[in-house]
Structure formats: C-alpha cells, structure tokens
Amino acid sequence: MSATKTVANRAIKARAKATPDRIQKDIISAKAIIDQKIVDNAIHHVAETEELTIADLPEGDISVPMNMWLDHKAELQARDSLVAVQIAADEFPEDFVEEYAEISHIVLPMVAHIDGRSYSHAFKLRTRFNYDGEIRAIGDVKYDQLGFLTRSGCNAFELPESESLEVALNAFSEMSDVYQPSADGAPLIFSRRRTVH
Amino acid sequence: MYKYDAVDKAIVSDRVEQFRGQVSRHLAGDLSAADLAPLRLRNGLYMQIHAHMLRVSIPYGLVSSEQMRALAQVSRQYDKGYGHFTTRQNIQFNWPELADVPDILKDLSNVEMHAIQTSGNCIRNISSDQYAGVATDEIIDPRPYCEIIRQWSTLHPEFYWLPRKFKIAVTGATEDRAAVKFHDIGLEVVYNDNNEVGFRVYVGGGLGRTPVIGKVIKDFLPREDILSYCEAILRVYNLHGRRDNKYKARIKILVNAMGIDDFRDEVEAEWQHFKDGELKLHDIDFETMQAFFPKPAYEELTSGDDRVAKWRSLDSRFKAWYDNNTVDHVEPGYRIVNVSLKEHGVAPGDATDEQMDAIANIAEKYSFGEIRVTHEQNLVLADIREQDLLEVWKELDQVRLATPNIGSVNDMICCPGLDFCSLANASSISVAKQINEKFDDFEELYDIGEVKLKMSGCMNACGHHHVGHIGILGVDKKGEEWYQLTVGGDASNDAALGTHLGKAIAKDKVGDAIGDILDVYKDLRSDDERLLDTFRRVGIDPFKEKVYSEEA
Ligand code: HEM
Ligand code: SF4
C-alpha cells in the first residue's frame, strides 16, 4: 500500500535519524508487564543518537532503533541474545513489512503519552501485517494508557520507575465492555445486537 | 429516544468508577495534576479562570424531561443553580468541585447521561439538526446515524490521543441546520440514482483561528460504510496530522496542506484494507436504531386551528411569540416551538434550575417528554399541538422563556468571553447586553427579520463569528477591548465566511455600528431579501461607508 501514494509531510521516509520522536536516552526497567503479569525485565532499550554505531551496543538483551536494524541486520542476528526493534511514532509500519518475519519483539517508544500515533502502529502491525510477536510500549506509558494500548495490539509494557505496577494491573479490568472492534478482534456492538434480535 | 441497554450501562458506569479512581489517586497525591489533566478533559472537566467547568454530553442535542430534571438537580446541588447550553448542543456547569465530579457523573449515569469525550483531543459529541424527525424539509431522520456514530466513537481505543479535537455533524434535511461544512467531518444525506441512502462526506471544515469551509471528500458514501469510512479518515489524520503546533493540528490544516485530492487518495487506500470488514453496517442495524426514534403518538389533527388565529389577533405578545419562535411541523395540527435562552440581560444560553425544571414539566405535559438543544444556544419543544400553544406560551412566559426573538439580532450566539474565559481579549456578554438594549423595540426587530449575529471574545471563535450574518470578534488593543466586525458569513448550505468591514470598533460604539449596518440594509433591501441576501447583492462597500462615515 505504501507505494501507492506519498503523503505531503512524509519526507520522514528518507529515514531521518534521532528525531524528537525517538527515545533520547537509553531506557532500562527492572520490571515489565507482559500479558498482564509483572515479570523481571532484561531488555536494554538503546536510544537513537546521530553518533550511535553498532560498536556502542551493550551486551545482553537489547532493543535497537529500526535504522540500526536495517543497516546491520546480519551482525545483530549473529548476537546470541534477544534483539528487539523499535518503531518510533514518526516511522511507518508499512515501510518495514519484509522485516517482521525476522523480528520477535517490536518496541513502540512513546515519547509523550498524548501522541496517539503508536496506537495506529500497533493496530496495523496486528491486523494488517499479522504480526504475532511481542509488541511492547515503553517511555511515557502509564496506568491510564494500558487499557487502550492493549486493545490496539500491545501486549507488553514498561512504565516509568515512579509508577506502581501492581496498581497499574487494575487497568486491564476497568472496562467490562466495549463498542467497537480494534486489534483485539472485539465485535462491533451492532453485530452483537444483530444476533440478539 | 435512544435507551441504554446492558452494554451502554456497563460502559458508562465503569467509566464513572474509572474516573472516581483517577480523581482519588490525584487527591491522594499519586497522580499529578499534569497527568490528571488529559484524563479529566476526556471526562469533560476543564479548568477555567475561577473554577472547574464540567461539560456534559447531550448527544445530538436530544434530552428527556427526566434528564433535564437531573441537570437541574446537578446545578442546584453541586453548582450555583444554573447551567449553560452550548453551541455544540451540550450543557456546561461552571462551578463544580473536583471532588464532587465523580458523584455528579454517577447521578447523571442514572439517567443515561455522561461527559465522555466532551473535551480533549478525541472524537466529540456528534451534533445534528435540532428539528430532526419533525422538519418539513427532512429527507431522512439523522438521529439513528448520529447514535450509531456515537457508539462507535465512544472510547475508541485508537483515536483517543488525536492531534486535536474532532467534531462530526450529520444533517438529513434540505436546509443544513447542523453546519456540516464547518465540522471535521460533515455528513449530508443524499440518495443515489438507485434510490439508495448514503451521505455526501465533507472533511476539514472548521472555525477557530483558521476558518475553513469543508471540502467534499466523497460524493456518495453508502450508509452501510459510514463507520469504516470515518475510521479511515481518522487513521490518516491520527498518523499525519501535525503535532508540533496545536494551532495547526486540526484536520483542516492537514487537508489544506496535502490538497483534498491527495488526502482523498490516502483515505481511499487506507479504507480498502477493511471496508468490507466488521465495521460494515447492515440494514437491520438502521432499522433497530430507527425504532428508538419512532414517530410519537400524534393525534389526527388539521392545521390552522381557528383559536390560534383568534389568540394572535387578541394578544400582540402572543402573536409576536408565535410569529418568531414557532415553526411549521411536518404533522398537521402541530408546531415546533423554540424556547429562547436569550432573555434580555441574561448570558446567552444560560438557564436556571427552575427554568430547566419548568421546561421538563412543559415538555412532559405537551411534547412527549422530549427537549432539544440547538447549536444557537436555545431549546426546542418539537411536538406542540396548535391548540396547546397559548398554554405553552403562558407557562414559558412565567419562567421568562418566551422572549420572542428567535432568529433576530437579539438571538445572538455569544461565547463566555472575559467573564469566564482566560483566553478572552474582550468581553462578549456585556456587548450582548448593549445590543439587547439598543434593539429593544420588537416591532423594529421583526421588520429587520432574520439576522444571525455571532460573537466571540477572541480568535478561537467559540461564538462562531466567522459564520454570523454579522460577526463580532473581540480584539485586544493595548489592553483595551475592541471589536472587529464582519458581514455576510453563513453556516448553512451556501456556506461562507464573513467579509471584514474595516478596522476594529471601540466597545461603546458596537451597538451603533450594528445599527448602521441594519440601516443600510433597510435602505437597500428589495422585497423579501434578508440582510444576508442584500449583502450578497451589494457587497461590503455600502456598509463600510456608513459605519465609518462619521470618522471621515
Ligand atoms: C478556557 C477557555 C475556553 C472557554 C471558556 C471556552 C468555551 C467554549 C464554549 C462555551 C463553546 C461552545 C461549544 C460547546 O461547549 O459545546 C466552545 C466551543 C469552541 N471552542 Fe472554546 N473555550 C475555551 C477555550 C478554547 C480554546 C483554547 C480553543 C481553541 C484553541 C477553543 C476553540 C473553540 C471552538 C473553535 C469552538 C467552536 C466549536 C465548533 O466547532 O462548533 N476554545 N468553547
Ligand atoms: S472565543 Fe475566545 S474568549 Fe470566547 S470562549 Fe472561546 S477562547 Fe474564550
């Protein structure tokens, strides 16, 4: 689909680096929520800077910016630990369709929680590109975003250190019903009522 | 009207408890004011100069007597005994305490009301024609479509953090009373050659700092596709709308930057991925929804009740009210009654708890227990028997709701301005008063006829001044309040933005300037021309000359 039309403000496709929509500092959290459970976390999320090179990557499980993945896929695949790949809010999932078979974990960095683009990214990854690996939201992700991020297709979260993960688990049961389909495959309310009538 | 089922009830009450949790986490110090802000906004709660303001949703402006009483009770129990009906057919309370808001929302949920998505950068209340179902020019009742869109858009997980707020309006009549060309998405009913119902879809209209008339993105959208097509537009906007500057973040800016043709191509390409999927509606869905808006149990009557003619000849006040505030009804023997919330000296759109209760009672007694809110900050009783008009008028008059000024200069739309709003350059309510006082001769007002006067206290344009036949905009000149006038704006079918009259006018001269404009109109009009028609024929110059002549 992406080949059909170029959007006016999509000069971004020239694969800009280190934009304000990328994480500016590495993120390392001790815990994560995966599939609604609190677990220990080992992934070190590497920030994208202009100077970042493959030699700078730390040992162990990491996530790297998409640019790094595209430039150094072979070396990254040769590592014997987990390599997850970040798709920033200003990147477009349809530009990397060929990559998904080789990526087990996708990370969506949220620089500001009021920026809703990553919700559409998660939705497209799940429903259009049938991505069934982990989709993890990190950065400015808090309790009150977890419910909708889950419906849109994310299944893993890292929250800032100040947030209580135990409290945040409540987010998954706050709403007992929904009106519309999203990546969760919920039926449209009207199709449910159709079967009742 | 629409009645909640178990799903609607669960969603609204879960939402109240969710917000109660957010407020208590905030009051306990676990949720910062900054983090609470976007959450409270999505529950209709703003911060204003003096206090919080709570905006409660009235979907497409339809409210029952029971709900109106609940609103009256909220204003009594938690506020200062009044509420403000808004241009997007909602109601606002200006003085609630934060800690009370979860209880207010709980009380409202008992009568199937909520404040979900009445502010914040998400899909807002769906607005529509205040005469839906009873208008003589109606092609199709828009309310079922509004309700379908309301449910789909409520708590949509993907479109909760848009670049900016998003407003959708639907009209089903020949005359557009819902201003669909000034909404982010406007839906106008049309039939195709096969007599199938669909919608002409406008996108990218809006007022505010950069007023834009919406552009046609699709000439005919089959009705079963309205949800998927809206979703495609929203997804393109969510991904491509600007987020770096909130004044350039509305969809109108994106549509203008891309051009409507490229924007359409992008939406169509997106739509192809899922247009025949789960979002496709079935005929039964429309039928089920239409059943919530049945024709009321009208009596078989004939129009032109003799008594009405007699009352009109006997009582000039009744006559004035009948002529100005009532409108033809599609059903013989019935009329639509407009209830003016523009009483002299009262902020336009405000109603007291006592007035709300009275309206609720009158609606119950005479109008099948339903009331509508109009985007011109008035109310409507849609189904009044002609034979009841005198009683209805008397009962409205007792609570000062029968001011016979609908459609006149005095029936102005006016934003809160300096009195409540921290962004205002100038006050609007006091200018409204000045105009009321200048034009207190109703005979003269009737002679002038329809003039839509709209006023905003700053360029955010909450008062829709761009589309007023006469528009007034408050501007700040070295700390003083001045007013810029426009003539010839129109929110309806021949949508147009007003033309600038000239340089700003001092506060105490606004009434005189309006007087000058109307004098020119009276001199130049031919036959049954309205001010707007005369302006379209003669242009701005004659008005300009007169208003600024004294200074020359
Ligand atoms: C705290 C200050 C503000 C107050 C008291 C205020 C009040 C209002 C009111 C009473 C309405 C009527 C509509 C409704 O509520 O349903 C309204 C609508 C509107 N507001 Fe505001 N507002 C404020 C801030 C803003 C800001 C910051 C903007 C834009 C940047 C804005 C833009 C608008 C626009 C364009 C409308 C018209 C809605 C339409 O498209 O029909 N307002 N506002
Ligand atoms: S137009 Fe300006 S002054 Fe009036 S309510 Fe809107 S923001 Fe406030």
Side-chain angles (χ1 to χ4, degrees):
Chain A
M1 167 240 144
S2 58
T4 52
K5 200 75 209 175
T6 310
V7 174
N9 62 352
R10 194 139 157 218
I12 304 156
K13 279 191 81 177
R15 287 185 47 207
K17 278 203 173 121
T19 68
D21 291 318
R22 318 296 162 95
I23 44 173
Q24 309 291 305
K25 278 203 291 217
D26 287 12
I27 294 180
I28 310 168
S29 324
K31 300 268 180 194
I33 297 175
I34 298 180
D35 295 333
Q36 308 191 10
K37 289 190 191 61
I38 301 171
V39 297
D40 290 332
N41 175 56
I43 303 182
H44 177 147
H45 304 281
V46 178
E48 187 175 59
T49 61
E50 291 291 353
E51 299 79 36
L52 179 72
T53 70
I54 181 128
D56 302 327
L57 297 180
E59 295 294 308
D61 295 351
I62 54 173
S63 83
V64 297
M66 181 58 86
N67 282 317
M68 173 70 76
W69 170 265
L70 295 175
D71 291 341
H72 300 284
K73 189 164 31 171
E75 292 123 293
L76 291 168
Q77 284 176 325
R79 291 170 65 111
D80 53 13
S81 53
L82 174 75
V83 179
V85 183
Q86 300 160 17
I87 298 179
D90 62 353
E91 294 177 303
F92 289 86
E94 53 268 39
D95 294 345
F96 316 117
V97 176
E98 307 78 46
E99 308 301 321
Y100 298 138
E102 297 174 277
I103 299 176
S104 65
H105 293 60
I106 289 176
V107 172
L108 302 177
M110 310 274 292
V111 171
H113 75 265
I114 57 167
D115 183 339
R117 286 175 289 183
S118 299
Y119 292 73
S120 289
H121 293 349
F123 173 83
K124 282 188 185 172
L125 285 167
R126 293 290 189 217
T127 62
R128 200 158 300 168
F129 310 122
N130 300 318
Y131 182 74
D132 61 3
E134 179 184 294
I135 301 180
R136 179 179 299 214
I138 65 165
D140 191 10
V141 177
K142 294 177 187 161
Y143 179 125
D144 297 290
Q145 280 82 53
L146 302 189
F148 283 177
L149 279 169
T150 302
R151 294 203 59 208
S152 301
C154 296
N155 67 316
F157 309 93
E158 289 176 32
L159 279 59
E161 221 168 278
S162 55
E163 298 290 298
S164 156
L165 299 192
E166 286 74 17
V167 175
L169 288 179
N170 293 327
F172 300 108
S173 52
E174 269 178 346
M175 300 299 296
S176 55
D177 216 328
V178 302
Y179 281 122
Q180 64 291 88
S182 186
D184 58 356
L188 180 65
I189 180 64
F190 308 110
S191 67
R192 284 160 65 190
R193 292 189 182 133
R194 246 172 253 152
T195 56
V196 175
H197 285 101
Chain B
M1 70 193 269
Y2 184 72
K3 296 301 286 176
Y4 281 10
D5 69 5
V7 177
D8 304 295
K9 282 185 183 147
I11 289 174
V12 169
S13 76
D14 288 352
R15 175 68 166 193
V16 171
E17 293 317 310
Q18 181 188 49
F19 188 58
R20 191 184 298 283
Q22 290 162 351
V23 170
S24 62
R25 276 190 282 143
H26 171 68
L27 295 176
D30 294 332
L31 185 65
S32 70
D35 282 345
L36 178 69
L39 304 172
R40 68 168 159 71
L41 283 174
R42 280 159 185 73
N43 286 293
L45 192 60
Y46 281 85
M47 256 331 258
Q48 290 196 345
I49 296 186
H50 312 285
H52 283 96
M53 178 270 271
L54 178 67
R55 183 181 294 156
V56 175
S57 181
I58 301 180
Y60 33 95
L62 198 56
V63 54
S64 69
S65 288
E66 186 194 17
Q67 292 173 327
M68 188 62 92
R69 286 191 195 102
L71 294 171
Q73 178 60 22
V74 166
S75 76
R76 229 178 346 256
Q77 188 176 344
Y78 302 103
D79 204 286
K80 296 192 177 177
Y82 72 98
H84 171 75
F85 290 95
T86 78
T87 55
R88 296 205 75 257
Q89 303 178 294
N90 293 319
I91 183 168
Q92 295 177 178
F93 297 105
N94 281 311
W95 310 95
E97 289 295 334
L98 176 61
D100 285 339
V101 174
D103 291 334
I104 299 177
L105 295 177
K106 178 87 185 88
D107 294 355
L108 291 173
S109 73
N110 293 336
V111 291
E112 307 189 356
M113 299 190 88
H114 63 72
I116 299 171
Q117 289 168 219
T118 56
S119 59
N121 294 337
C122 51
I123 305 171
R124 303 290 190 84
N125 186 24
I126 315 301
S127 56
S128 189
D129 185 347
Q130 69 269 22
Y131 299 157
V134 294
T136 50
D137 66 338
E138 185 159 285
I139 304 165
I140 198 168
D141 185 347
R143 293 170 297 179
Y145 300 90
C146 293
E147 180 58 29
I148 286 171
I149 299 171
R150 182 192 78 78
Q151 294 188 17
W152 161 78
S153 64
T154 297
L155 303 179
H156 195 301
E158 192 185 340
F159 306 129
Y160 207 60
W161 304 98
L162 296 168
R164 204 74 182 83
K165 57 190 169 183
F166 203 92
K167 299 175 181 175
I168 302 177
V170 187
T171 173
T174 346
E175 186 188 335
D176 174 13
R177 283 172 291 264
V180 296
K181 289 179 194 143
F182 292 100
H183 281 76
D184 297 283
I185 294 179
L187 297 167
E188 175 187 42
V189 77
V190 277
Y191 278 97
N192 69 3
D193 296 341
N194 299 328
N195 219 26
E196 291 158 338
V197 184
F199 291 87
R200 179 171 296 127
V201 185
Y202 296 90
V203 70
L207 299 169
R209 293 177 182 231
T210 318
V212 180
I213 299 175
K215 299 171 184 67
V216 176
I217 182 167
K218 205 161 183 66
D219 253 319
F220 183 83
L221 177 72
R223 65 176 184 168
E224 58 266 29
D225 293 327
I226 46 176
L227 296 184
S228 60
Y229 202 77
C230 285
E231 179 149 324
I233 293 175
L234 262 306
R235 186 163 301 122
V236 169
Y237 170 56
N238 189 38
L239 288 169
H240 298 285
R242 284 182 64 171
R243 291 177 185 268
D244 57 332
N245 178 343
K246 77 170 190 174
Y247 299 117
K248 301 209 182 316
R250 292 290 287 266
I251 195 174
K252 61 193 173 189
I253 306 286
L254 177 66
V255 172
N256 281 351
M258 287 176 71
I260 182 66
D261 293 326
D262 281 4
F263 183 80
R264 179 185 301 111
D265 289 348
E266 190 76 19
V267 168
E268 293 280 332
E270 175 59 36
W271 190 43
Q272 297 311 317
H273 289 290
F274 59 94
K275 72 187 275 279
D276 295 318
E278 178 67 13
L279 289 176
K280 198 159 197 107
L281 294 162
H282 296 203
D283 284 346
I284 179 86
D285 303 339
F286 302 111
E287 287 158 23
T288 311
M289 199 50 92
Q290 182 65 60
F292 284 106
F293 305 93
K295 233 166 107 146
Y298 292 124
E299 289 166 40
E300 261 189 55
L301 300 168
T302 48
S303 290
D305 199 300
D306 292 343
R307 284 165 289 186
V308 173
K310 198 171 100 208
W311 297 329
R312 288 175 67 199
S313 68
L314 287 176
D315 189 326
S316 62
R317 288 180 66 234
F318 174 79
K319 178 178 185 308
W321 177 80
Y322 177 92
D323 292 349
N324 284 278
N325 290 23
T326 76
V327 180
D328 288 344
H329 193 289
V330 70
E331 201 69 22
Y334 285 82
R335 284 190 81 74
I336 302 171
V337 167
N338 279 284
V339 177
S340 171
L341 298 182
K342 309 294 172 64
E343 190 199 351
H344 194 139
V346 171
D350 279 7
T352 64
D353 59 332
E354 176 206 9
Q355 288 176 320
M356 288 188 252
D357 279 335
I359 285 271
N361 293 341
I362 296 169
E364 205 147 70
K365 216 153 120 193
Y366 301 104
S367 198
F368 302 102
E370 276 179 22
I371 303 120
R372 291 109 182 274
V373 183
T374 81
H375 84 276
E376 302 188 322
Q377 302 171 319
N378 292 312
L379 302 176
V380 162
L381 296 167
D383 298 295
I384 304 290
R385 292 189 305 186
E386 288 183 6
Q387 63 199 64
D388 294 331
L389 283 168
L390 186 66
E391 278 311 310
V392 168
W393 171 67
K394 283 184 189 159
E395 292 187 28
L396 287 172
D397 196 38
Q398 264 171 22
V399 286
R400 306 175 317 283
L401 289 173
T403 314
N405 58 0
I406 296 291
S408 78
V409 179
N410 275 348
D411 178 19
M412 67 197 93
I413 296 188
C414 170
C415 81
L418 263 187
D419 296 299
F420 290 101
C421 175
S422 49
L423 304 166
N425 291 321
S427 55
S428 21
I429 295 174
S430 64
V431 174
K433 268 196 188 145
Q434 187 192 126
I435 294 169
N436 278 163
E437 276 155 23
K438 183 161 173 91
F439 300 98
D440 60 355
D441 175 356
F442 281 106
E443 284 313 315
E444 195 191 336
L445 285 183
Y446 302 151
D447 174 50
I448 293 165
E450 184 187 272
V451 177
K452 302 226 182 241
L453 195 138
K454 308 193 182 200
M455 176 161 39
S456 310
C458 79
M459 62 188 172
N460 288 321
C462 302
H464 302 184
H465 63 275
H466 303 292
V467 291
H469 298 176
I470 298 177
I472 306 179
L473 165 65
V475 292
D476 174 286
K477 270 202 192 174
K478 303 199 184 92
E480 280 177 39
E481 300 167 50
W482 287 68
Y483 296 84
Q484 203 139 59
L485 269 54
T486 49
V487 185
D490 183 6
S492 67
N493 302 55
D494 300 318
L497 300 169
T499 305
H500 270 274
L501 188 67
K503 58 186 194 306
I505 287 166
K507 185 169 183 177
D508 58 348
K509 295 280 188 293
V510 174
D512 293 343
I514 308 274
D516 286 345
I517 291 172
L518 296 174
D519 285 343
V520 172
Y521 157 68
K522 283 191 278 186
D523 283 349
L524 298 182
R525 68 180 160 188
S526 58
D527 303 338
D528 50 3
E529 269 185 346
R530 298 169 301 164
L531 167 68
L532 184 62
D533 306 316
T534 304
F535 164 80
R536 285 185 174 156
R537 185 167 53 80
V538 306
I540 193 78
D541 289 341
F543 297 99
K544 188 182 258 181
E545 272 160 35
K546 173 91 180 189
V547 170
Y548 297 102
S549 63
E550 284 130 49
E551 300 173 25

